[in-house]
Structure formats: C-alpha cells, structure tokens
Amino acid sequence: MWTIKRFPAYWLLPALLPVALMTIYPVAYALWVSLHSVTLLFPGEPFVWLDNYKRVVTSNYFRDALGNSLLFTALATPLVVIVGTLVALFLQRRFFGSQIVRSIVLLPWVLPGAISAVLWIWVFHPSFGVLNGLLRDLHLINGSIPWLTSPRLALISVVVAHVWTQIPFAVVLIMAALSGINSETLEAGAIDCRSPLKRFRHIVFPEIKAMIVVLVVYNALTAFTSYDLVYAMTGGGPGTATTLLSFQIWRESFSMYDFGTGSAVAFIVVAISAVLIAAITRALPSDLFASE
Amino acid sequence: MRRNLNPFLTFLFATLIVLFAGGPVILSAVGSVVPDRIMMDASKGLFSEGLNFETYRYVFTGQLPDSYLAENANRAMISDAARQVPRSLLNSSVIALSSMVLNLLLGAPAAYVFARYVFPAKKLTFMFLILSPLVPAVALVTPIYMMIQALGLVGTQAGIILVHTAKALPFTVLILSVFFRKMPNEIFEAAALDHCSRFQAFWRIALPLALPSVGATGLFAFMLSYSEYMFSMVLSGDAATRPVSVVMAALARNTDVSWSLLNTGIFIAIVPTLVLVVFVWRFVVEGLLSGAVKG
Amino acid sequence: MASVELRNVTKSFGRIEAVRDVSLVIEDRELVVFVGPSGCGKSTLLRMIAGLEEVMSGELLIDGKPMNTVAAADRGIAMVFQSYALYPHMTVAENMGFALKMLGTEKAGIDRKVAEAAGILQIEDLLGRKPKELSGGQRQRVAIGRAIVRQPQVFLFDEPLSNLDAGLRAQMRVEIARLHERLRTTMIYVTHDQVEAMTLADRIVILNKGKIEQQGSPLELYERPANRFVAGFLGQPKMNFIPAVARHSDKGTELAVPASGRMVLTAARNLSIPEGANVEVGIRPDVISVGEAKSNGAVPARIVVVEHLGGSSLLYVQLDGLDDLLTVEHRGKADFSKGQEIGLLFDPMQSHLFDADGQRIET
C-alpha cells in the first residue's frame, strides 16, 4: 500500500464533515441531556449526574426490555446471516428463472418499515391472516393461532418479519463476496472435497469470512437498536412480550417527554451494543479489522 | 461447485425463496384488487366478483370507490393519505436519488484513499466513521432537528437529504473500500507509470472498474434513504413534501382504513422502486459475476 | 536510450531484506535478464528501477541522472507486468494510448503512435477490442504495445511470459528478442525461467537471497559458473553434483565417492585441493558418455528410469554409494531399459569442481 505523507483532506473531508456534523454535536447534546433532568413538564434543566441512568436500570421495564432485546438480537442475527448465506450460495447457480428469483429476493428491501409491518400483520392476523388461512385449508388447525397476541409467538413472529426485511442486504453482500473468489480455488475445492458441506467449510467459508463478520456485526447492531417494525406490528405487546430496550428511548422521550431518561436509555443501548460488537469480533476472529 | 443440483430440489428451493421473499408482496397485489367485504367473507371465493380496480382509480383521480358509498359503508375506511401516495413517491425518489448521488460523490474518494493508501490519522478517522452509526438514531432526533432548524431546512427536502446522506455515508465508505481494496495492485502501478495523478487513477481507473460495486453501494444508500421513517417524519413539512415512508405509515396507522385501499397504496409504492431495483441489481449482479473487477 | 546504474542499493520489507547492497551497471541498449528463484529479490530490484518501490539506501541512476526521488512516471521507463495490468474498461487502442493522453498529447499524435506500435506487434485488427475479448498471447502483445507507445529510454519486463502456455512462451520469447533487435533500447527483463534468461539475454544477472551471485553473458555463466548455485540454476536438465573426496598421487588428483570409494574423476595433474578435502563434482547431463558396464575406466551404474524424447534419451541412473540419482542425456537413438547395467564415462575437461562452501575451484 502506498503512503501519503500528509492527511488527504480533499479526499476525506467531504465524507467526514457531514458525518461529523450529524454525529459530534448531536451525540454531545444527547450525552448532556442524559445527565440532566430535561422534561417538558418541569422547566429548568438541573444537572442530576447519573440519576437518569439509575432510573432506567431500576425501572420496571428494564429487565424485560433488555431480555427481549438480547433474545431478539440472538435470534435474528444468526438467522439473517445463515439464511442470507444459504440463499446467496443457491443464487450463485444459474438455473431456469434464476435471474427472476435474484430480483425477487430484493423485494423486502424496497419497502419502508411501515409497509413491511402492515404486510406481516396481514400474514399473522388471527382471523383474516394468510398464515392461519393456509393452515386451516391444509386442515392442520381448526381455530386460529394468535400469532401476535400470545407472548411467545409474538416474539417469534416479529423476529420472522425482521429477518425478512434484513435478508436482501445480506444476500447482496455475500454474493458480492462469493463472486470475488478465484474460480480456480473453487475448482480445486471441487476436486479435493467430495462433500459440499466440507467444501463450504474449508474452501468457501474462509474466503467470505470477512464479509460474514461485517454482516454479523451490522445485523446485531440493527437488531439491537431498531424497533420500528416491531412497534408497528405489536406495539410492544402483548404485555411487555415484544417491548425492546431501543423502543424505550422513543417512549421515554416522545411519549413521556422525559428526554433525560430517554437519552440515558440510548447510551445504555450504545454501551451494550459496543460490548456486543467487541464480543462478536473477538468470537469470530477475522483479519478484517487487523488489516485496517 | 457448479455441479448441477437435482432439478426438483432447485425448483423447490427457488419456490421457497420466491414465496418467502415475495409472498407478502404478492398478497398485497391480490389484496389491492379484492374489495374488503369479499376478503372478509370466507364463504366467497377471492376472485368471485372479478378484479376490482376502484381503489386504484381513487388514488389517482380521487373518485370514491362505489363499494364505500353504498350500504352505510364506514367513511373512515377511506384515507386521504392514500391519495398522497403517488406524490410521495416522487418526493421519495428525489430524496433517495439525491442521497445516493451525494453518498457516492462524497464517499467514493474517501473509500479509495482508505483502501489503497496509508496516511496520518487513518486509523482514527476510520474508527470514527465505523463507530458513528453506533448511537441509536432515535436518541439524536432532537439535536438533529435543532440543527436542521438552525440551518432553516425544516420542512424542506434538502434537510432530509442532508440527514440521510450523513446516515448512509459510513456504510458507503466501508463497503466501497472493501471493493477498492480487492482491485489488483498492478493496475494502479501501471496507471502511475502512465502519468496518472492520484485523482486520475481514481477517476479514470478505479471508479470505472468498480462500477458494479459502486452500483450496489449506491443501491444501499438509496434504500436506506427510501425506507427511513423517523427523520423523514420529523423533518418533512406538508403533504406536498412528504416522502413515501411517512405517508405509508400514516395510512397504516389508521386502523379503520380499508385493507383494499391500504394494499393499493402499498402496491403502488412498490412498483417504481421495484423496477429501479431490478434494473440496478441486474447490472450489479451481472457485473460482479462476470468478474469485471478482476479484469 | 540510456544506461541504468545501481550503487549499493538496499531494500527491506520489515525485517526481511529483499535486496542487499547490490551494485550493477546496465549499459545503453543492453538486454539484461535478472534471474533467480522466487524470493531472490529480482522483482524488487526491477520495481525499484521502475520507481514502484522506494530505494532505502544506495543510489539509482538512469542515463547518468540520479533517480531516487524522481516519480515513476518521469523516469523515462515503461514496464510490462506479469498480469499485463491492462485497463479492463478500455479498448486496446485506449490502453496503448492512455499514457500519452495523460500527458496531453493531441489525438492525432496518439493515434499515429498507437498505429505504429500495433504495426510492429501485428495487432492492428485488435485495436477496437476490450482486454476481456483477447487471448493470453494477445493481451501480452497489447501490454508490450502499451510500453512501446511511450517510447521509453528503458523497457522493464516483470516475468511477462509466466502466464502463457509453453508454446506461446517460446513464440513470444522470439518476438521480444526481435523487438530488442528492432528498437535497440535498453531492456531489463526479470524471470525465474533459466531458458528465457539463456535465450534472451546479452547479459544475465543471477540473484539469490537479495545478492548478485554472478553476472555475465549466458555462455560465460553456463561454462564457468562461479559457484554451485549458479551451476545448478542454469542448464536444463540440471547439472549433476557428486560429492567426492580428493586424493593426490603421482598420477594426479583422484576424486572418489566417499561411501563406495569408487573413483569418479582422475585429473592428469595435481589440483590445488588439500588432501582428503570434501568437494563436489559438477557434471552436466549431456557431457556424460554411456558405455558398456564393464568397459575400461567406466563407472558402473544402473538405470532406474528412462525417458525417451525422440532425438535423445534421459537416463536417471543409480551409482553405488550415492543417494541422489544422476541424470544422463544420451543423444541419438539407443535402446535403454529399466534396470540395465551401464558404464559412465566422465570427462575431466568438462567437469566443474566446487569446494565445501560451494565456490568454484579453478582447474
């Protein structure tokens, strides 16, 4: 790699400045807010040190919401990456209609979250839902399964919907990584290992490992910090079954108008995601970060 | 690797993928042409009254569907938001395309120097870019709103474009730098010998070579902007400037609204993007698969 | 037209020393080949001349002018890369004219020079195509054409033929030789293939572990290798090395295989080797003659493998007391078979002697 002696400002600042503008001040502001009592009801913004954080950690929702968020992340992240990789591997092949299937895979991507939520509500709807209708037609069930209104099923349902929205991006990146593998490597692999499973494990996987790590990190982050799809589908219910920690940022800030506490939740989420990312990158060794 | 799978298994997998990825969308296409009362009536076949395009007519012309005028129909089932869908599509296209172009314009040079050069403070700036999306956006809504307000851009598309661009840039830089790094060194050495300046090597060699990857990355920025809801909601003004995610959310949150009308809105919102995505994706995938990057 | 001079040039990557204190003068219009095993530093040396690697210490001069800090593009050199490094998104003509375009040459001038170079290489009909649509040999020609268009003072070739199949490689070798004939420009050519080195070079520079082992004309190196490394590197099939012990007598010096005590060579006079010293006798396969097993003065051997090449045969034979098989090239037709006992005659005049450090012993 070549060396530039001075910081290449012309090359970097166009990208760095907008990001800095949208990050440094807002984050500093949010941090400041999280250490003050900022509410709509009481004027004045007294410094309260870590009171907001204490309030979040001792609140009645914290344990449930954190548990739900971790469970949601732990279910959704591997599902997205595994299913995405399998689909990408499958779509690498050419078969009759493969181009059409490749395009259809992207469908979930083009939909704003609100639309995805509506579609999946329609799938899971207890009485008019397609899923129950299908199961009834196949005579597998008689009544209706309350997909979104029984606690355990609701969490699974929102995970399925979330995975659905995230798969296209995983497929795109894995296919890009797969296309970068030297075809001779693959041919050598085809000769050396008879079992496709072993071939993937020893030949293909090492080549796309870096991309998979990127995807795992990105998806863990997305699953842990996004809430709009889940909120639109279940409103966090039934009870607190699908209440996610990230949702509490919004609820505290814009529903309770307690901006200090809302920001405190946000930084708790940041801290936990940082730990998650560190754990993931350590658990999945990759030369990707070392080479930076 | 290219050994053919059993044709039956291929068909099975392909069908499963199509059903899972496309199923909900197919449902909305079906739902948009079947009136609610037939949909809710288990005794009637879905298409027993043929296809019904009243809701499409309403969205584009404002003429109320006959079925909602008769039989004491619930007027609340008709939402004004549905009529905003076509306009919002246009707004979203402008916003998402601008965000995409800005992302590539601002992000590609940075990705290039990150991928191919060592320079002072490289690690620091790279870490900054990578870590900046870590903070949940919802925590930043208030300060960002205040900043956009200070710039006088609240209620304009420019404000939304600025936020979307900044939100997608870290990913744009990361993904593009992966692609730029994959290019063979010798090409750039040849370019250096051919009197290319750093910028010329980037502009005339790296960028054209990475075109499919640039397309994929642009698509990512486009999608991020197109489906973003929160900032679009907070920063958009009246109905004339609202992007599709905001309009669709309004339509979807209205619990009374007719399924048929909602599905019509969804389907109209999907089609143009779908066309764009298929077009770009074909170009991206074929480019990647033909190994254009490797030369 | 220019000479290239290296003065005490050194380069290391981290802790690995790629080039160690190399000094070398390449004369104007000379075709010099750098050859050596992979990792010997030959490519690094070439890339330093090109300006693609920084010279860490020492001096580099082209045409008498110091070049250490001159940018690669301004050194008046052109380089042909191993992978060709053609720009995939440009046509052949655009590829060839790109350097001139970057220099701001007007279009007519570029077209003229591209056409001229295409004429030399007979690729006029390919000018409109993209590299993807070319065969390996055609890409190679385009890569060379791109170098010619720049009218450099020095041509640099970095293993340009190693991606081609054997037939094409031979053909392109001849073409590069003809090109040098025609252009009369200084050329530096890097390869690991000693056949390319032998056939192309005015002068060969053999490198090993970052140092020059020996330099000289191909025949000089072939006939008087300075050490065991050079002797073993040049020549196909490779030279045989037989470990031996020297013994002096009034008839001259005898060299014998230690394990069997069997005599290999007898020099008619006393050589300046200490009594009992371990040496290695180097004999090329084509100067060993094959006779009857019991013939006078012959060393008995047994054939292990025979390769019939038509005009000649390669025999791999076992000698008593030697672990390695000897290679013998026998010209003309002969019926040899596996397991056959034969006698070998070694010609002292065409043998090389190397001491325990691998240095040549003059005889």
Side-chain angles (χ1 to χ4, degrees):
Chain A
M1 213 177 288
W2 290 334
T3 304
I4 307 178
K5 298 232 162 62
R6 277 177 37 207
F7 182 76
Y10 293 121
W11 294 78
L12 288 172
L13 289 186
L16 287 175
L17 283 182
V19 178
L21 181 73
M22 292 296 156
T23 311
I24 294 174
Y25 169 71
V27 169
Y29 177 90
L31 198 61
W32 183 88
V33 167
S34 79
L35 298 172
H36 292 72
S37 173
V38 183
T39 59
L40 211 59
L41 299 176
F42 302 101
E45 291 158 356
F47 180 69
V48 292
W49 191 222
L50 291 176
D51 279 6
N52 288 326
Y53 291 87
K54 264 182 227 149
R55 186 172 321 142
V56 174
V57 176
T58 56
S59 69
N60 50 4
Y61 62 74
F62 182 73
R63 280 189 55 171
D64 278 351
L66 177 61
N68 286 337
S69 278
L70 289 176
L71 187 60
F72 185 78
T73 307
L75 287 174
T77 308
L79 267 176
V80 171
V81 175
I82 291 167
V83 176
T85 307
L86 288 178
V87 171
L89 282 172
F90 177 70
L91 291 181
Q92 277 288 95
R93 302 161 182 277
R94 287 187 188 276
F95 53 88
F96 182 73
S98 58
Q99 297 215 351
I100 299 170
V101 180
R102 278 182 197 157
S103 301
I104 287 178
V105 168
L106 295 192
L107 263 178
W109 208 7
V110 307
L111 301 178
I115 299 184
S116 306
V118 173
L119 289 177
W120 281 99
I121 290 172
W122 205 32
V123 170
F124 288 126
H125 197 281
S127 25
F128 313 119
V130 179
L131 193 54
N132 277 343
L134 195 71
L135 293 174
R136 268 196 297 269
D137 287 346
L138 294 171
H139 300 287
L140 291 173
I141 57 165
N142 265 327
S144 62
I145 298 176
W147 293 106
L148 292 176
T149 46
S150 89
R152 185 104 11 114
L153 286 177
L155 189 72
I156 292 172
S157 302
V158 294
V159 166
V160 170
H162 174 84
V163 168
W164 183 79
T165 61
Q166 298 300 315
I167 278 184
F169 183 51
V171 172
V172 170
L173 282 195
I174 296 284
M175 279 186 81
L178 284 173
S179 73
I181 305 178
N182 187 338
S183 57
E184 280 170 20
T185 311
L186 291 179
E187 279 154 17
I191 294 163
D192 291 343
C193 328
R194 202 169 300 140
S195 130
L197 217 67
K198 272 193 186 152
R199 203 152 64 217
F200 176 77
R201 165 84 184 73
H202 295 291
I203 313 287
V204 179
F205 181 72
E207 298 273 343
I208 59 172
K209 198 172 67 182
M211 198 56 102
I212 286 187
V213 173
V214 170
L215 271 178
V216 170
V217 170
Y218 175 79
N219 274 290
L221 200 61
T222 312
F224 197 73
T225 57
S226 67
Y227 62 87
D228 36 354
L229 180 78
V230 175
Y231 175 65
M233 283 178 70
T234 65
T240 58
T242 58
T243 298
L244 301 179
L245 195 56
S246 47
F247 170 57
Q248 295 299 330
I249 307 171
W250 186 87
R251 212 178 68 104
E252 291 283 5
S253 302
F254 298 107
S255 173
M256 309 299 205
Y257 298 109
D258 184 347
F259 296 99
T261 310
S263 294
V265 182
F267 283 102
I268 291 171
V269 169
V270 170
I272 298 171
S273 357
V275 172
L276 275 181
I277 290 176
I280 290 168
T281 46
R282 187 142 315 169
L284 303 172
S286 155
D287 33 281
L288 182 80
F289 297 97
S291 65
E292 283 311 328
Chain B
M1 188 63 196
R2 302 273 159 186
R3 201 160 41 103
N4 277 331
L5 215 60
N6 175 339
F8 173 74
L9 277 179
T10 304
F11 179 75
L12 188 75
F13 284 143
T15 312
L16 273 177
I17 292 173
V18 167
L19 278 184
F20 182 64
V25 178
I26 298 166
L27 292 181
S28 94
V30 171
S32 70
V33 292
V34 175
D36 288 28
R37 62 192 156 73
I38 295 176
M39 186 84 68
M40 309 291 175
D41 192 339
S43 66
K44 283 189 183 161
L46 266 185
F47 300 112
S48 57
E49 293 192 4
L51 303 183
N52 185 315
F53 291 100
E54 283 177 353
T55 47
Y56 285 91
R57 197 183 60 197
Y58 169 68
V59 169
F60 286 109
T61 69
Q63 187 184 350
L64 290 176
D66 304 334
S67 43
Y68 301 139
L69 293 172
E71 326 153 18
N72 305 326
N74 182 0
R75 287 300 297 263
M77 286 174 78
I78 297 159
S79 166
D80 206 31
R83 293 226 54 214
Q84 297 168 9
V85 170
R87 171 82 217 182
S88 72
L89 270 177
L90 193 67
N91 294 337
S92 274
S93 310
V94 171
I95 294 169
L97 276 176
S98 312
S99 166
M100 172 179 119
V101 170
L102 279 174
N103 254 282
L104 295 178
L105 229 53
L106 306 178
Y112 180 73
V113 289
F114 275 127
R116 306 211 66 91
Y117 291 92
V118 180
F119 51 83
K122 176 177 180 177
K123 207 163 192 168
L124 183 79
T125 42
F126 198 74
M127 285 317 272
F128 169 71
L129 271 183
I130 296 297
L131 295 179
S132 65
L134 206 64
V135 185
V138 62
L140 306 179
V141 169
T142 314
I144 287 180
Y145 181 87
M146 285 158 49
M147 280 171 53
I148 300 294
Q149 197 173 37
L151 293 171
L153 294 177
V154 169
T156 66
Q157 295 184 338
I160 303 178
I161 292 169
L162 179 61
V163 175
H164 286 180
T165 303
K167 270 188 62 128
L169 260 173
F171 298 105
T172 304
V173 173
L174 179 64
I175 299 170
L176 272 181
S177 69
V178 171
F179 289 126
F180 282 136
R181 166 134 354 139
K182 271 204 327 206
M183 294 181 175
N185 265 328
E186 289 195 337
I187 289 256
F188 292 96
E189 291 175 353
L193 291 178
D194 279 348
H195 299 278
C196 275
S197 67
R198 194 179 303 145
F199 179 75
Q200 282 170 324
F202 164 70
W203 185 251
R204 289 180 180 274
I205 310 289
L207 219 48
L209 279 185
L211 216 51
S213 319
V214 170
T217 315
L219 195 62
F220 173 77
F222 182 92
M223 287 307 159
L224 210 67
S225 165
Y226 186 80
S227 57
E228 199 280 331
Y229 168 67
M230 196 168 35
F231 287 104
S232 306
M233 166 72 203
V234 176
L235 297 174
S236 65
D238 55 10
T241 62
R242 261 174 231 158
V244 71
S245 58
V246 175
V247 170
M248 290 312 299
L251 195 59
R253 297 262 155 86
N254 179 348
T255 47
D256 288 330
V257 79
S258 142
W259 276 109
S260 171
L261 189 58
L262 179 56
N263 282 320
T264 304
I266 292 174
F267 198 66
I268 293 173
I270 293 171
V271 173
T273 17
L274 195 60
V275 172
L276 177 87
V277 168
V278 168
F279 183 74
V280 177
W281 176 236
R282 283 271 291 260
F283 166 72
V284 168
V285 171
E286 299 315 314
L288 288 174
L289 292 186
S290 72
V293 181
K294 283 170 266 170
Chain C
M1 314 297 128
S3 62
V4 176
E5 190 174 349
L6 297 160
R7 290 184 191 155
N8 308 97
V9 165
T10 297
K11 172 87 187 175
S12 53
F13 298 102
R15 238 179 283 162
I16 303 155
E17 281 200 307
V19 172
R20 291 191 263 185
D21 194 26
V22 165
S23 296
L24 181 67
V25 179
I26 294 157
E27 302 295 343
D28 186 17
R29 300 181 180 198
E30 204 177 7
L31 199 168
V32 170
V33 175
F34 294 172
V35 68
S38 55
C40 71
K42 56 189 189 297
S43 278
T44 309
L45 204 55
L46 188 79
R47 291 165 57 80
M48 281 196 285
I49 296 170
L52 298 171
E53 302 281 357
E54 220 177 324
V55 178
M56 288 180 109
S57 72
E59 244 187 308
L60 166 69
L61 299 101
I62 297 179
D63 201 14
K65 296 182 214 63
M67 285 287 152
N68 286 37
T69 55
V70 175
D74 303 325
R75 293 188 179 190
I77 53 105
M79 184 151 168
V80 177
F81 292 88
Q82 180 176 3
S83 67
Y84 318 137
L86 299 177
Y87 309 119
H89 57 297
M90 298 183 195
T91 63
V92 167
E94 285 166 343
N95 261 290
M96 289 168 66
F98 187 65
L100 296 180
K101 190 174 162 187
M102 290 296 97
L103 280 175
T105 311
E106 86 285 10
K107 178 128 187 6
I110 297 177
D111 289 348
R112 192 168 41 76
K113 284 193 174 155
V114 168
E116 202 181 295
I120 294 175
L121 294 162
Q122 295 164 347
I123 49 172
E124 294 102 323
D125 48 334
L126 303 179
L127 287 176
R129 294 208 208 156
K130 293 267 178 77
K132 216 169 24 181
E133 302 157 332
L134 303 178
S135 69
Q138 288 170 330
R139 284 182 206 189
Q140 182 60 69
R141 277 164 205 268
V142 175
I144 294 173
R146 182 168 67 176
I148 293 176
V149 168
R150 302 190 49 190
Q151 295 183 319
Q153 294 182 306
V154 182
F155 276 93
L156 307 178
F157 294 89
D158 188 4
E159 309 215 14
L161 306 185
S162 58
N163 287 351
L164 300 177
D165 62 53
L168 264 175
R169 208 179 301 162
Q171 189 192 335
M172 287 306 297
R173 212 164 61 207
V174 175
E175 290 209 26
I176 290 175
R178 275 175 50 197
L179 196 69
H180 182 238
E181 244 354 79
R182 172 165 185 164
L183 299 173
R184 299 308 301 167
T185 310
T186 314
M187 290 187 176
I188 305 175
Y189 188 105
V190 161
T191 182
H192 61 267
D193 179 352
Q194 52 94 19
V195 178
E196 273 172 38
M198 292 294 291
T199 51
L200 276 175
D202 291 334
R203 182 151 55 106
I204 296 180
V205 176
I206 297 193
L207 290 146
N208 187 31
K209 294 176 185 158
K211 287 185 108 91
I212 296 178
E213 293 278 356
Q214 192 179 2
Q215 50 172 307
S217 75
L219 277 183
E220 219 173 295
L221 264 55
Y222 188 82
E223 284 169 357
R224 291 177 56 81
N227 52 43
R228 192 185 184 282
F229 178 83
V230 174
F233 195 81
L234 291 184
Q236 185 68 34
K238 276 191 190 324
M239 183 184 279
N240 296 297
F241 294 100
I242 307 169
V245 180
R247 248 182 257 122
H248 300 293
S249 71
D250 42 342
K251 273 184 277 173
T253 304
E254 286 175 357
L255 296 164
V257 177
S260 64
R262 199 177 293 279
M263 194 163 51
V264 185
L265 274 185
T266 312
R269 58 191 173 81
N270 270 327
L271 299 173
S272 53
I273 314 170
E275 173 80 15
N278 284 309
V279 296
E280 278 193 294
V281 181
I283 307 167
R284 296 206 183 271
D286 56 343
V287 298
I288 303 177
S289 18
V290 183
E292 290 296 319
K294 301 267 165 50
S295 63
N296 204 13
V299 180
R302 191 166 43 81
I303 299 179
V304 179
V305 177
V306 186
E307 287 177 352
H308 295 291
L309 302 175
S312 63
S313 307
L314 284 183
L315 312 175
Y316 298 92
V317 303
Q318 176 83 60
L319 246 65
D320 276 352
L322 279 186
D323 295 334
D324 297 331
L325 298 182
L326 291 194
T327 314
V328 177
E329 188 174 3
H330 182 82
R331 286 187 197 285
K333 280 192 193 133
D335 277 336
F336 292 110
S337 57
K338 219 167 100 176
Q340 191 180 335
E341 301 285 342
I342 53 170
L344 301 178
L345 286 166
F346 301 114
D347 178 358
M349 293 310 290
Q350 300 211 54
S351 304
H352 309 267
L353 287 182
F354 301 101
D355 64 19
D357 298 329
Q359 293 306 310
R360 178 181 189 85
I361 301 169
E362 293 297 341
T363 51

